[in-house]
Amino acid sequence: MKALRQYRDLTSMQIRSMRTDLPMIAVIHIAFSVGLVLGYGYLIPDISEATATYLVTGTATQAFVTVGLVMLPQMLSQSKAEGRLEYYLTMPISRELYLLSLISVVAITSLPAVFFALAFGAWHYDLSFHVEPAFIAVAVLAVLSLAGVGVAMAVWSNHPQVVNGFTQLVIFYVLFFSPVLLPASQLPDLLEHTAKLAPPTYAADGIRGTLTDLPSSNVGKDLSVMGGFAVASIALSAFAIRRRG
Amino acid sequence: MVLNSGLPPVLAVSNLVKRYRNGTLANDGISLALQPGEIYGLLGPNGAGKTTLVRQVLGVLRPTSGSISLDGIDVVADPGSARRKIGFLPQGQCDFLGLHVSEMIEYSARLRGMSGSAARRRRDELIEQLDLGSFATTQMHAASGGVRRLAGFAAAIAAPARLLVLDEPTNDVDPIRRQVLWNTIGDLGQQGATVLLVTHNLAEAERFIDRLAIIDGGRIVREGTPSSLRSLVTERLRLELSLSGDVAPHPALTPEPAATGSYLLDQRDLAAVSGWLHALREAGLLLDFRIGPPTLDDIYTAVVAPQRELEAVL
């Protein structure tokens, strides 16, 4: 009960402390997602239903990636460099609940872009999605695994510039070199194999497996791997912020 | 200030050593004990090791050796329990930019264990006490530096704490609210709170401090009450000078590094310096001057400057 109250206070404190930025962040991510759905479509004039479905679900995954694996680590590393993170850590709060509250804010921030990517894509390409109950588990684990890795990057690095640079690489990789927006079969062998080590791969596959009839999805495996990434990254992050120099 | 010297100290630091991984020795055998209700000043130049000491007391940095006990809790072994007993105002950022000033105070109280209604009552009390009413719904990023500082101070004292660690609490605060803030710190001491106060604003702080330590090079180089430390420089006077031209100071004057136009002089040189001042006035070069007894600033200068000179020679 006490933990629940602390989690609620931490989450609402973070949402309110970002009250000026959150609407703008949400709008930018919505615009980015809608832009991707449209822009990639221009590259393929006679896009097939399967390709459009792949593109739209990939864009929805990208919304989770952009917030969890790009925006969150950038914000957190900045907060760490400016001493704000340490101020949190001087308070009598659970480190794990603090991390969980951060990740919850990320989830809330990314949901509008995910929704708009799917809704706009379905309308624009005349697609229909069948939402399976497991989609909720996929979405939760996608956020936990991506944001978990994002948090781990931020807390293990002492240089915000390095984190910023790395997150740019992440988004570049996801957009052009991963099976999030491009079919794995079209990637070179090296990228196809290395994609197996990247959590966005499983988030994209899980989303496709629970929203579409696209072949070769293994939702059980996706959930397991994302769960592993989530547990490992949050444990590593909690360990990092528990360390005392 | 309610000093209960018969009781065990609220904060006891013993032989504390902190050597960072890069080899820097930031704390070199620091020992101190803060009695219940005591306001204890920690003074020292930049890089002296004050922040390192504070971070270890707060349990966010592990000492290389030595012990820290807060109200009987071993801070090194159980920092989580110790944090429940500390209110902290950092020197750097402690604000969350989009929060309202009132929310900053309320959330701090809630996260430090107060119930929702008690936290709101305390928030309203502090807003009134610190004259923050007109800024209660101002977002922290839109508030002035002084208001943000006061909000941080209010957040630090929002919940009951055995130890308050206040790092430069008056930075950027306007003179009127600064007075209110010092009075509040004084009241907290009267009510039995133990305060570890890190400050450079010695002139203002000395009225409230019970004891102080001057820390330099990671070691405590002097510790005592303001009056006992003042005896270190009783032979000295402080001269504040305002001159109209480029005039070399009298050889008997020792400039204070931190304050332009401020000098220390030995009482035995007073006659010679008076003659020099008279001559300057006759020449129309003396705009204003003021001679007074030594302050904590002078003690600080007298203790730290020779130490630095010695280190430079070695």
Side-chain angles (χ1 to χ4, degrees):
Chain A
M1 204 58 196
K2 195 177 157 193
L4 198 65
R5 180 174 176 252
Q6 193 174 91
Y7 167 74
R8 185 198 64 198
D9 286 343
L10 282 167
T11 307
S12 73
M13 182 181 181
Q14 306 215 40
I15 289 172
R16 288 184 187 199
S17 76
M18 291 172 69
R19 55 162 53 102
T20 318
D21 303 326
L22 281 180
M24 193 180 68
I25 291 170
V27 167
I28 288 171
H29 285 107
I30 289 168
F32 191 59
S33 296
V34 169
L36 268 182
V37 169
L38 273 177
Y40 266 89
Y42 294 146
L43 274 175
I44 317 163
D46 300 316
I47 191 165
S48 68
E49 186 181 335
T51 306
T53 304
Y54 199 92
L55 169 62
V56 171
T57 48
T59 303
T61 310
Q62 163 282 137
F64 283 130
V65 173
T66 312
V67 180
L69 213 44
V70 179
M71 187 191 92
L72 174 62
Q74 287 180 358
M75 277 171 35
L76 190 57
S77 61
Q78 196 61 35
S79 159
K80 187 179 165 187
E82 289 171 355
R84 229 174 297 146
L85 174 63
E86 185 157 296
Y87 178 64
Y88 262 115
L89 301 184
T90 63
M91 288 197 267
I93 56 170
S94 150
R95 273 61 181 140
E96 288 78 8
L97 288 178
Y98 168 68
L99 292 179
L100 211 57
S101 71
L102 268 182
I103 292 171
S104 304
V105 175
V106 164
I108 294 164
T109 312
S110 58
L111 284 178
V114 172
F115 173 78
F116 269 87
L118 294 172
F120 179 78
W123 172 76
H124 186 65
Y125 294 113
D126 196 20
L127 307 172
S128 59
F129 296 114
H130 314 283
V131 184
E132 289 182 18
F135 174 74
I136 295 169
V138 167
V140 168
L141 282 175
V143 168
L144 286 173
S145 59
L146 295 168
V149 172
V151 167
M153 272 163 55
V155 297
W156 280 96
S157 169
N158 288 324
H159 305 286
Q161 296 89 340
V162 172
V163 173
N164 286 352
F166 192 73
T167 54
Q168 301 303 322
L169 281 179
V170 166
I171 198 66
F172 189 61
Y173 164 78
V174 167
L175 289 178
F176 301 113
F177 299 102
S178 79
V180 172
L181 282 157
L182 305 168
S185 57
Q186 290 182 25
L187 293 172
D189 285 350
L190 179 67
L191 289 177
E192 196 179 340
H193 291 302
T194 50
K196 290 173 187 161
L197 303 172
T201 304
Y202 301 95
D205 197 64
I207 286 172
R208 288 183 183 116
T210 51
L211 289 181
T212 73
D213 299 326
L214 288 174
S216 76
S217 287
N218 184 340
V219 176
K221 182 183 169 191
D222 297 330
L223 289 172
S224 308
V225 176
M226 285 193 291
F229 269 113
V231 169
S233 58
I234 293 170
L236 271 174
S237 303
F239 175 71
I241 62 174
R242 277 181 187 283
R243 275 193 323 163
R244 287 175 281 154
Chain B
M1 286 143 270
V2 184
L3 289 182
N4 299 303
S5 52
L7 297 172
V10 171
L11 176 69
V13 174
S14 178
N15 289 318
L16 195 71
V17 174
K18 178 62 190 178
R19 187 182 287 280
Y20 287 106
R21 283 185 204 138
N22 65 8
T24 305
L25 184 60
N27 286 168
D28 184 10
I30 288 181
S31 295
L32 48 87
L34 274 64
Q35 299 303 323
E38 186 173 31
I39 299 182
Y40 190 95
L42 198 59
L43 320 176
N46 297 329
K50 304 187 296 291
T51 303
T52 298
L53 172 61
V54 164
R55 292 180 71 213
Q56 290 171 102
V57 169
L58 293 166
V60 293
L61 191 65
R62 183 188 286 276
T64 306
S65 64
S67 67
I68 306 169
S69 167
L70 174 65
D71 212 20
I73 296 169
D74 182 345
V75 177
V76 182
D78 186 8
S81 298
R83 275 187 215 109
R84 291 191 194 102
K85 293 173 177 277
I86 303 180
F88 173 50
L89 171 67
Q91 188 182 4
Q93 291 206 39
C94 65
D95 44 75
F96 302 93
L97 302 178
L99 284 187
H100 295 157
V101 166
S102 60
E103 290 171 340
M104 173 86 190
I105 302 166
E106 186 185 333
Y107 274 116
S108 177
R110 293 172 73 99
L111 290 173
R112 291 172 199 281
M114 288 176 84
S115 70
S117 56
R120 284 189 291 279
R121 268 199 308 277
R122 182 66 175 145
R123 171 200 70 191
D124 295 342
E125 222 174 82
L126 284 168
I127 283 175
E128 192 182 335
Q129 189 177 345
L130 296 172
D131 192 20
L132 286 169
S134 49
F135 305 101
T137 55
T138 303
Q139 284 184 28
M140 294 294 281
H141 71 86
S144 68
V147 169
R148 285 156 76 161
R149 199 85 198 125
L150 278 172
F153 172 70
I157 66 170
R162 288 289 286 155
L163 176 70
L164 290 170
V165 180
L166 307 175
D167 197 346
E168 298 291 359
T170 57
N171 272 7
D172 298 328
V173 178
D174 68 60
I176 293 171
R177 286 195 175 82
R178 200 182 305 162
Q179 194 51 50
V180 173
L181 192 148
W182 281 121
N183 289 337
T184 307
I185 294 174
D187 290 346
L188 289 166
Q190 293 284 356
Q191 290 157 17
T194 304
V195 181
L196 179 61
L197 182 70
V198 182
T199 185
H200 284 107
N201 200 338
L202 307 183
E204 288 181 2
E206 71 172 307
R207 285 192 291 135
F208 301 95
I209 289 176
D210 296 309
R211 276 193 307 147
L212 69 148
I214 297 175
I215 179 168
D216 193 29
R219 293 185 297 271
I220 290 180
V221 290
R222 285 288 189 283
E223 187 189 38
T225 62
S227 58
S228 72
L229 291 183
R230 196 176 281 111
S231 66
L232 293 170
V233 288
T234 47
E235 299 302 311
R236 290 182 167 199
L237 293 170
R238 167 195 278 262
L239 170 65
E240 285 168 23
L241 264 182
S242 177
L243 301 171
S244 68
D246 188 15
V247 181
H250 189 279
L253 298 178
T254 308
E256 285 199 286
T260 310
S262 189
Y263 301 89
L264 295 178
L265 75 148
D266 195 294
Q267 285 188 10
R268 286 165 297 191
D269 295 320
L270 185 57
V273 172
S274 295
W276 177 69
L277 289 171
H278 183 70
L280 287 177
R281 173 160 280 175
E282 291 291 304
L285 295 170
L286 181 63
L287 298 175
D288 192 19
F289 76 97
R290 196 171 300 161
I291 293 180
T295 64
L296 281 184
D297 281 310
D298 303 324
I299 300 166
Y300 177 81
T301 308
V303 171
V304 172
Q307 186 91 4
R308 288 290 156 107
E309 282 164 19
L310 181 66
E311 282 167 9
V313 171
L314 294 174

